[in-house]
Amino acid sequence: MISDNNGGLPRYCHPFHGDWDVARIALDIPESKVLFVCPASCARIIKLNSFLSGYADRIYVLGLTEADIVAGDYEKKTYEAACEIIETEEIKPKALIIYVSCIDAMLGNDHSFQTKKVMEKHPDVNCFVLKMCPITRYSTDLPLVELQNDMYSALPLEKVEKTRTVAFIGANIAPGEDNEIVKLLKANNYRVLHIQASDKYEDYLDIRSSVLNIAVMPFARKACETLKKRYGTEYMPVLLRPDPDYIDGVIKELCSRLDIECPDVAGLREEALNELRSAAKAVEGYEIIIDSTANMFPLVLKEVLKNTGFNVKMIYRDSADTAAPDIDSGHITMPGKRLFVEQPGTLAIGEVANCFSATEKGIKLFYDNGYMGYAALKKLAQLIKEGGKE
Amino acid sequence: MKQLFRVLPPLAPDYGGACEIMYELGGLVLIHDATGCTVNYVHFDEPRYHTKPSNVFCSGLCEIDAVMGNDDVVINKAIKAAEELKPNFIAFVGSSVPMVVGTDFYGIAHDCEAQCGIPCFGIDANGIRNYIYGASVTGLQFVKRFCGEKTESRGVNLLGFIPMNYGDLRETEIIKGAFTDVRHAFSYNMSFDDLADLQNAEGNIVVSAAGLEIAEYMKKKYGMPYTVGVPYEHILEKIIDPSGLKGRVLVIGEGIDACSMAAAITGKYGLEADALDVFEKKSAAKYNLSSEEEIKAVAAEYDVVVADPCFTPLVGKSKIIKRPTVSVSGGVFNT
């Protein structure tokens, strides 16, 4: 039996998730809308985040009452609400995502009956269920793993003809045009597909046609496995690991898999490291504090920064295990350990470190904001320089 | 469909109200949830999160513990944390999953107190009711437990006074400053020791519905009279921009607060003003509505609507004077 022990202590929570939540990730599916079916409070954070990030018109909430939950009345209401959204909204969604919460996991509800009924009435709408159920984090795969898998499992089963397309799976933000992998693919006439960068539902469907999927986060591996089983698409991980050797290896493997000419990796590497060295000079004397919400591999990032001249003082291991003997490993379990008076000469990479250590300067970065490879290191250097100037 | 929200965010829930009233009292507060509810609270419903620490935690509830009724897990966590924190009390606050499995929060509190000797409370929040309920039932439990004998009668208490009622901490200060001879504001800038002194005020002023039941209890137990309302006539210009007020005015918000502001608009500017309470089904407000369709229909009858910016799409051709409140928009419209 797995029970949440967490060292026997309750959790001290923070609100720093880079303005990302499960709905915003799912809304990367172009022309989609989301209907939350849950106790209203579960969707409060979602709707408020949507105001901050400008997609409030794509979020709907069916607030359940106790009577709905006890009597199971909301199955009918879910169907009615879904149809009302499809039939009355000015912009009709091409995908309607019904999001359920922890209570559905507890009750063991299966909403596929309603989604099927909705699609029978509206065959031009892909209606499917996603789950916002942190309560199940020890009983199934991690919620983010399930989310990515469910998002891509909702693609129609029909196989389509493969095209010269490489799809990025799992990053919240599409890689920029300045990314060396994007440049490399485009230079070799590959279509680079990331649904976050698209406003057409058809691009989501086109994921089926890719010849290679790139799993940008560990969370995306299960989704890539599903896509491989269904559509025969191979995948390779390109994690947000800031280690130059790893990045070199990724570029070489990509070229090998696609049988394309490998670029001057050493040149790219030196350029990125020089940018970091220059950033280190810009914040000379500053103590750097990293947290694992900024980069999933804070220990690796620490090494890269140390080797390019930064003074890394601490790592917050919010979710990563950082057994580093040469460095303070912060893990705020008690609110009294938080600092509220600004600490001069400190720079945080990540909002958790910024808040809990009350650093003088802070860089807002959440899982590298989707930057990967040498482009990520160059972007980090730029942000550090800008942060240093604030 | 009345339960379908297209425009408005879900309002601040009961567990948020419960935690708000305890935030400064030096207790150990555990929201019994998987994380989402606690993050909701610290992210949007607690304006003091970024300025002062408080021992509000997530219990880290997981599926198997919920299904098997392993209440010992949360009790043990609370006791372990209490050993380090030495809290004045421990509170176990409910959320939606405990509601589904029928968790007995009063039983958990009783067991925990028997084991550790620290005063413990169970708050049966469920994430479906709004913050008024959570703040009210929590405040009442504290008053019943900690208020002792009345030894003097001086000053007034503000009841139901929590930052969630207002736009931000600046506005909270302005509103507190509108009252004179305040002994305690329950619960803002108030210590645990102050709890045992609430009964020594001459009377109570209820500033939100969260304070009503507490005021009734103190009236019965201590003979303390109470009045209801916020003197907005003295501070209206500091809270809203009154230059747009004209014709018929509708104030949307928490019942007592909205009625007070409507009365101030009438008294100061001679305009017809009514209140619409979006939190409670029954109050002194002219309207008690929560469905978007109904609010839209009522708002259309007024020239000006004073409300949180979230209501903008519902006011149609009426002019809106924006007054953000944490209980509605969680501070996202604050500049």
Side-chain angles (χ1 to χ4, degrees):
Chain A
M1 181 187 294
I2 298 170
S3 178
D4 178 22
N5 284 314
N6 187 32
L9 286 168
R11 295 174 186 185
Y12 184 56
C13 290
H14 64 79
F16 309 110
H17 301 94
D19 298 335
W20 284 95
D21 58 50
V22 290
R24 190 172 166 202
I25 294 169
L27 285 171
D28 274 355
I29 297 176
E31 301 185 75
S32 63
K33 294 193 175 192
V34 165
L35 167 63
F36 272 84
V37 179
C38 55
S41 63
C42 303
R44 177 165 166 77
I45 191 168
I46 303 288
K47 189 73 181 184
L48 293 178
N49 266 340
S50 75
F51 287 121
L52 289 172
S53 300
Y55 54 92
D57 58 340
R58 295 172 71 190
I59 303 278
Y60 303 81
V61 180
L62 178 64
L64 302 180
T65 64
E66 281 180 75
D68 291 332
I69 295 163
V70 172
D73 269 1
Y74 67 100
E75 292 186 354
K76 187 166 170 261
K77 286 181 180 174
T78 302
Y79 169 74
E80 288 169 357
C83 290
E84 188 175 316
I85 291 164
I86 293 168
E87 289 158 14
T88 60
E89 282 299 317
E90 216 169 285
I91 301 170
K92 187 174 176 176
K94 292 197 174 165
L96 181 65
I97 300 159
I98 294 175
Y99 243 114
V100 296
S101 70
C102 294
I103 63 158
D104 275 84
M106 298 305 298
L107 296 168
N109 286 344
D110 175 7
H111 289 280
S112 60
F113 171 73
Q114 286 100 303
T115 55
K116 195 176 161 203
K117 229 172 119 184
V118 170
M119 287 193 286
E120 278 168 9
K121 194 173 181 195
H122 298 282
D124 52 343
V125 177
N126 184 2
C127 183
F128 58 93
V129 174
L130 292 180
K131 298 181 279 283
M132 179 178 70
C133 306
I135 194 96
T136 62
R137 69 198 178 285
Y138 294 122
S139 359
T140 62
D141 283 322
L142 284 172
L144 279 177
V145 173
E146 291 288 324
L147 169 57
Q148 293 290 336
N149 189 48
D150 291 348
M151 273 172 72
Y152 292 100
S153 297
L155 281 164
L157 283 169
E158 296 81 33
K159 287 185 180 172
V160 297
E161 198 178 324
K162 294 290 181 190
T163 59
R164 208 172 162 84
T165 298
V166 174
F168 286 77
I169 309 289
N172 296 339
I173 300 175
E177 294 293 315
D178 58 345
N179 183 283
E180 64 273 7
I181 295 174
V182 172
K183 279 182 185 170
L184 177 66
L185 291 168
K186 288 196 168 176
N188 286 279
N189 299 318
Y190 278 92
R191 178 189 181 198
V192 176
L193 185 55
H194 189 300
I195 52 172
Q196 196 260 348
S198 167
D199 55 5
K200 291 192 182 76
Y201 179 71
E202 286 67 29
D203 287 337
Y204 166 68
L205 299 178
D206 283 352
I207 295 281
R208 296 172 298 169
S209 73
S210 66
V211 289
L212 180 70
N213 289 329
I214 290 180
V216 182
M217 302 280 254
F219 311 131
R221 199 179 287 265
K222 187 173 178 182
C224 287
E225 279 290 342
T226 300
L227 293 169
K228 184 179 174 182
K229 274 182 209 154
R230 281 190 177 186
Y231 312 110
T233 317
E234 293 294 330
Y235 72 93
M236 66 173 278
V238 180
L239 307 180
L240 306 176
R241 193 180 163 90
D243 167 10
D245 289 341
Y246 174 82
I247 298 168
D248 285 356
V250 159
I251 295 171
K252 284 173 187 164
E253 188 189 339
L254 183 67
C255 293
S256 162
R257 279 186 181 237
L258 296 175
D259 197 19
I260 55 181
E261 193 181 335
C262 204
D264 172 19
V265 176
L268 289 169
R269 178 183 183 137
E270 204 45 35
E271 193 185 335
L273 294 178
N274 279 339
E275 291 279 336
L276 280 175
R277 288 182 194 110
S278 160
K281 279 189 185 146
V283 292
E284 201 171 356
Y286 274 79
E287 290 180 331
I288 309 293
I289 303 174
I290 307 169
D291 75 58
S292 57
T293 61
N295 183 279
M296 296 186 81
F297 304 93
L299 273 182
V300 179
L301 182 59
K302 179 207 79 175
E303 283 305 314
V304 173
L305 292 181
K306 274 190 158 182
N307 293 339
T308 46
F310 290 92
N311 173 20
V312 182
K313 182 196 173 195
M314 186 190 271
I315 294 173
Y316 276 106
R317 55 177 179 93
D318 188 52
S319 55
D321 182 11
T322 57
D326 60 332
I327 203 158
D328 291 338
S329 177
H331 189 187
I332 292 287
T333 52
M334 291 291 149
K337 291 176 183 167
R338 266 176 76 178
L339 299 174
F340 285 87
V341 178
E342 188 179 288
Q343 304 297 301
T346 55
L347 187 151
I349 301 175
E351 285 184 273
V352 176
N354 184 209
C355 172
F356 286 178
S357 287
T359 56
E360 182 189 330
K361 300 173 192 302
I363 293 169
K364 190 177 176 180
L365 203 60
F366 186 70
Y367 289 159
D368 280 297
N369 290 354
Y371 295 106
M372 66 180 84
Y374 289 122
L377 294 183
K378 289 197 309 202
K379 186 68 188 175
L380 179 62
Q382 183 198 330
L383 289 170
I384 289 172
K385 282 182 186 171
E386 287 169 2
K389 283 178 189 165
E390 276 173 14
Chain B
M1 195 174 188
K2 278 190 175 181
Q3 283 170 252
L4 180 63
F5 289 88
R6 296 161 186 263
V7 171
L8 295 177
L11 304 172
D14 49 5
Y15 53 75
C19 294
E20 271 258 311
I21 207 161
M22 294 186 280
Y23 195 78
E24 299 176 17
L25 301 179
L28 167 62
V29 178
L30 283 102
I31 300 179
H32 199 29
D33 78 314
T35 55
C37 304
T38 310
V39 172
N40 226 342
Y41 168 67
V42 300
H43 198 157
F44 289 115
D45 291 342
E46 183 46 79
R48 292 167 289 188
Y49 179 83
H50 295 284
T51 56
K52 53 177 87 170
S54 180
N55 299 325
V56 179
F57 293 92
C58 165
S59 72
L61 179 64
C62 66
E63 196 174 23
I64 196 70
D65 288 337
V67 171
M68 301 302 287
N70 291 339
D71 295 340
D72 284 351
V73 174
V74 66
I75 292 172
N76 291 339
K77 283 183 181 181
I79 292 173
K80 189 164 181 186
E83 284 166 4
E84 182 171 340
L85 294 166
K86 313 284 183 216
N88 296 320
F89 60 88
I90 298 172
F92 298 91
V93 181
S95 66
S96 56
V97 166
M99 171 194 67
V100 169
V101 297
T103 302
D104 174 8
F105 281 98
Y106 303 106
I108 287 177
H110 185 270
D111 278 6
C112 189
E113 185 163 340
Q115 287 182 51
C116 68
I118 299 167
C120 292
F121 297 88
I123 318 292
D124 67 338
N126 62 12
I128 289 175
R129 305 184 198 99
N130 67 54
Y131 83 101
I132 295 289
Y133 174 83
S136 176
V137 296
T138 308
L140 190 58
Q141 283 199 61
F142 276 71
V143 167
K144 284 180 176 174
R145 179 80 184 253
F146 295 116
C147 290
E149 292 300 308
K150 188 171 175 70
T151 55
E152 64 171 321
S153 281
R154 188 178 51 77
V156 292
N157 297 321
L158 306 182
L159 300 182
F161 191 91
I162 48 178
M164 202 182 260
N165 294 330
Y166 312 115
D168 52 24
L169 296 179
R170 183 197 65 89
E171 192 180 303
T172 307
E173 283 290 338
I174 291 170
I175 289 168
K176 190 180 172 193
F179 295 92
T180 52
D181 204 15
V182 175
R183 191 171 182 117
H184 303 295
F186 187 29
S187 176
Y188 176 72
N189 281 348
M190 182 176 149
S191 71
F192 179 70
D193 292 339
D194 292 337
L195 271 174
D197 184 56
L198 282 170
Q199 74 281 4
N200 289 326
E202 192 177 351
N204 290 316
I205 300 175
V206 178
V207 300
S208 78
L212 270 177
E213 279 199 50
I214 301 168
E216 276 293 334
Y217 172 81
M218 294 185 90
K219 186 181 171 188
K220 276 182 199 153
K221 172 130 192 201
Y222 300 107
M224 292 170 72
Y226 73 88
T227 58
V228 172
V230 179
Y232 274 116
E233 58 274 18
H234 304 309
I235 51 170
L236 198 60
E237 293 78 8
K238 292 178 183 169
I239 306 296
I240 61 166
D241 174 9
S243 62
L245 290 170
K246 60 173 184 181
R248 298 183 73 213
V249 180
L250 179 69
V251 182
I252 300 178
E254 187 280 324
I256 290 173
D257 193 81
C259 284
S260 304
M261 189 173 280
I265 288 168
T266 300
K268 211 165 175 184
Y269 297 97
L271 299 171
E272 183 187 339
D274 295 315
L276 190 159
D277 185 346
V278 285
F279 290 94
E280 299 290 275
K281 286 181 180 159
K282 247 179 149 182
S283 69
K286 184 170 180 180
Y287 309 99
N288 295 79
L289 304 169
S290 57
S291 104
E292 291 183 357
E293 294 158 22
E294 291 169 336
I295 293 169
K296 202 172 180 178
V298 168
E301 296 169 18
Y302 289 81
D303 301 299
V304 175
V305 175
V306 180
D308 188 279
C310 287
F311 287 88
T312 306
L314 300 180
V315 305
K317 288 178 183 166
S318 313
K319 176 184 167 58
I320 185 163
I321 294 178
K322 293 175 182 173
R323 194 248 170 142
T325 49
V326 173
S327 56
V328 176
S329 57
V332 299
F333 295 110
N334 293 346
T335 50

